[in-house]
């Protein structure tokens, strides 16, 4: 090899050595970065993030939530979820009941490069901070005694049917728990049974037995209880109208429909088809509809923060 080429190689080797030494010197700890692992979610699967209150059995007792359903506490959960949906536009549907909420991100979403831990921690922490921040708006007479916290998990569903089955599972859970809890608390609060006696009375009963017990003993027609208690709350992005000619704008709309039936998916075709928010007719005169409270609060907040409804 010619001498000039040997010299050139030596210089290059020294330069590389020098580069490495200086790099090591300025960041000798940097190697620890390699311990961090990528956790990108597979493309083209439904991403569901579910949060659930930690120890809400105790939390609801300490804060005197009405039994079995506290309308204001449930609406606080709904409002916290609406805050999450306002921030993350790739959420197409949310579903909440009791102390849990599920957020469904559209299959094609590329949010944070689909990094699972980033998505999970943002959703869980925003939900929690919104729950605390809006506490006074829904429970003004109850002092928050300690900071509530929520766990979170990411679950992936490859097919539309899997996603539908997941949501059906959560909604069936509302029905099973609510029917049992309504019967249980009526036996305790109205009939004066102890918790143990009420439990014994309900042991081995099926749905129709509990319906019959509620009707014959307490004159309650289970199907007439508020739909939010029986079906949970679904949040969808909709173009809201008060009449066919008057569109208020795009809002996150709470509803209490049956997701187990095909009719829900045939009505809200935007969910499984090409995503384009559907339309919703808002009946502002209906005082019975609990979701109106949330819609109105949402409109107030948007106005306050100067957020355009089209941006939701
Ligand atoms: P972990 O989630 O495992 O930490 O337990 P948890 O105590 O939170 O119980 P879980 O999530 O299984 O169930 C939620 C609990 O919250 C219910 O069992 C109720 O005790 C309570 N809860 C939720 N919503 C209401 C409500 O509207 N009223 C009342 N009184 N309690 C509620
Ligand atoms: Mg819980």
């Amino acid at each position: 090899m010619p001498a000039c080429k040997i010299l050139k190689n030596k210089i290059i080797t020294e330069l590389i050595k020098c580069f490495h030494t200086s790099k090591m010197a300025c960041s000798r700890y940097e190697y620890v970065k390699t311990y961090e692992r990528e956790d990108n979610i597979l493309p083209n699967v439904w991403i569901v993030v579910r949060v659930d209150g930690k120890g809400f059995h105790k939390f609801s007792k300490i804060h005197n939530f009405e039994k079995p359903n506290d309308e204001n506490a449930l609406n606080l959960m709904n409002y916290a979820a609406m805050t999450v949906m306002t921030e993350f536009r790739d959420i197409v549907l949310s579903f909440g009941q009791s102390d849990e909420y599920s957020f469904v991100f559209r299959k094609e979403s590329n949010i944070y490069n689909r990094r699972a831990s980033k998505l999970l921690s943002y959703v869980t922490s925003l939900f929690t901070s919104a729950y605390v921040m809006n506490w006074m708006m829904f429970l003004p007479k109850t002092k928050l005694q300690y900071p509530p916290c929520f766990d979170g998990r990411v679950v992936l569903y490859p097919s539309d049917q899997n996603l539908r089955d997941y949501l059906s599972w959560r909604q069936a859970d509302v029905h099973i728990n609510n029917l049992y809890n309504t019967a249980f608390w009526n036996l305790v609060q109205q009939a004066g049974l102890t918790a143990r006696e009420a439990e014994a009375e309900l042991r081995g009963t099926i749905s129709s037995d509990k319906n019959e017990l509620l009707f014959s003993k307490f004159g309650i027609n289970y199907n007439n209880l508020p739909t939010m208690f029986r079906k949970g709350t679904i949040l969808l992005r909709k173009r809201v109208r008060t009449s066919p000619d008057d569109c208020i704008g795009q809002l996150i709309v709470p509803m209490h429909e049956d997701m187990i039936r095909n009719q829900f998916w045939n009505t809200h075709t935007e969910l499984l088809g090409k995503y384009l928010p559907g339309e919703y007719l808002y009946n502002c005169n209906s005082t019975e509809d609990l979701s109106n409270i949330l819609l109105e609060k949402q409109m107030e907040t948007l106005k306050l923060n100067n957020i355009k409804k089209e941006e939701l």
Side-chain angles (χ1 to χ4, degrees):
M1 194 185 285
C4 65
K5 197 152 188 195
I6 292 172
L7 186 64
K8 194 176 155 197
N9 283 350
K10 251 188 149 177
I11 292 171
I12 290 172
T13 314
E14 281 311 305
L15 275 173
I16 291 172
K17 251 194 200 166
C18 187
F19 174 70
H20 278 300
T21 325
S22 68
K23 212 169 171 220
M24 287 296 282
C26 76
S27 60
R28 56 185 282 235
Y29 306 114
E30 219 171 276
Y31 77 97
V32 294
K33 263 181 116 171
T34 60
Y35 282 61
E36 287 184 19
R37 301 282 98 181
E38 295 293 331
D39 62 352
N40 308 70
I41 291 165
L42 279 176
N44 206 34
V45 290
W46 291 103
I47 304 172
V48 176
V49 175
R50 183 169 79 243
V51 299
D52 183 295
K54 176 179 180 292
F56 261 49
H57 183 68
K58 175 182 147 202
F59 185 82
S60 57
K61 225 179 199 170
I62 286 184
H63 294 91
N64 288 321
F65 285 5
E66 268 180 45
K67 297 179 183 96
N69 293 292
D70 188 301
E71 184 187 318
N72 293 318
L74 291 173
N75 269 336
L76 172 58
M77 290 286 293
N78 293 336
Y79 203 71
M82 286 160 93
T83 311
V84 171
M85 253 181 118
T86 306
E87 181 67 26
F88 299 105
R89 314 266 160 89
D90 280 359
I91 298 173
V92 291
L93 178 152
S94 308
F95 177 67
Q97 55 126 344
S98 183
D99 69 338
E100 69 168 59
Y101 239 101
S102 299
F103 299 96
V104 181
F105 285 79
R106 60 189 186 91
K107 265 183 161 178
E108 303 77 19
S109 175
N110 203 25
I111 186 169
Y112 307 118
N113 277 334
R114 295 172 80 88
R115 284 160 64 195
S117 53
K118 192 119 174 147
L119 210 54
L120 177 62
S121 49
Y122 274 153
V123 168
T124 314
S125 63
L126 180 59
F127 184 88
T128 310
S129 62
Y131 186 91
V132 172
M133 193 170 166
N134 292 298
W135 176 273
M136 285 300 285
M137 181 151 77
F138 290 91
L139 297 151
K141 293 187 187 136
T142 312
K143 186 174 181 296
L144 186 57
Q145 301 288 337
Y146 62 90
C149 65
F150 292 82
D151 70 25
R153 70 197 69 190
V154 175
V155 194
L156 309 177
Y157 292 105
S159 74
D160 293 355
Q161 191 58 49
N162 293 149
L163 177 72
R164 279 188 61 171
D165 289 346
Y166 168 77
L167 292 166
S168 299
W169 170 51
R170 295 326 299 142
Q171 195 163 42
D173 197 65
V174 188
H175 171 69
I176 295 163
N177 290 337
N178 189 54
L179 182 58
Y180 181 92
N181 291 338
T182 307
F184 178 88
W185 284 111
N186 271 287
L187 286 170
V188 172
Q189 291 173 336
Q190 308 299 327
L193 266 63
T194 64
R196 191 172 287 202
E197 285 165 346
E199 227 177 275
E201 176 104 8
L202 294 174
R203 199 168 300 136
T205 56
I206 57 170
S207 290
S208 55
D209 299 332
K210 290 190 258 296
N211 271 312
E212 179 56 28
L213 178 141
L214 281 173
F215 192 69
S216 59
K217 278 204 168 163
F218 308 108
I220 295 172
N221 183 341
Y222 181 77
N223 290 329
N224 291 343
L225 294 180
T227 42
M228 176 163 76
F229 300 168
R230 291 183 289 117
K231 304 266 182 225
T233 302
I234 303 155
L235 302 177
L236 296 182
R237 240 175 271 279
K238 292 283 179 188
R239 290 187 61 74
V240 177
R241 294 182 179 281
T242 49
S243 72
D245 325 310
D246 176 34
C247 182
I248 305 178
Q250 201 161 292
L251 288 173
I252 293 154
V253 177
M255 50 187 80
H256 316 287
E257 295 175 11
D258 190 335
M259 291 188 293
I260 298 171
R261 292 173 191 221
N262 286 336
Q263 196 191 344
F264 175 83
W265 301 94
N266 293 338
T267 307
H268 307 288
T269 47
E270 74 268 22
L271 295 172
L272 299 181
K274 187 170 162 39
Y275 189 70
L276 241 188
E279 303 225 326
Y280 176 81
L281 196 61
Y282 168 51
N283 179 1
C284 47
N285 297 321
S286 157
T287 47
E288 264 177 41
D289 193 346
L290 298 174
S291 63
N292 280 6
I293 304 169
L294 292 172
L295 268 182
E296 266 151 35
K297 283 194 193 296
Q298 186 184 177
M299 285 191 260
E300 272 169 39
T301 311
L302 292 180
K303 213 167 157 189
L304 221 71
N305 297 330
N306 212 11
I307 300 175
K308 290 196 183 73
K309 284 161 211 145
E310 292 70 28
E311 287 173 12
L312 278 180

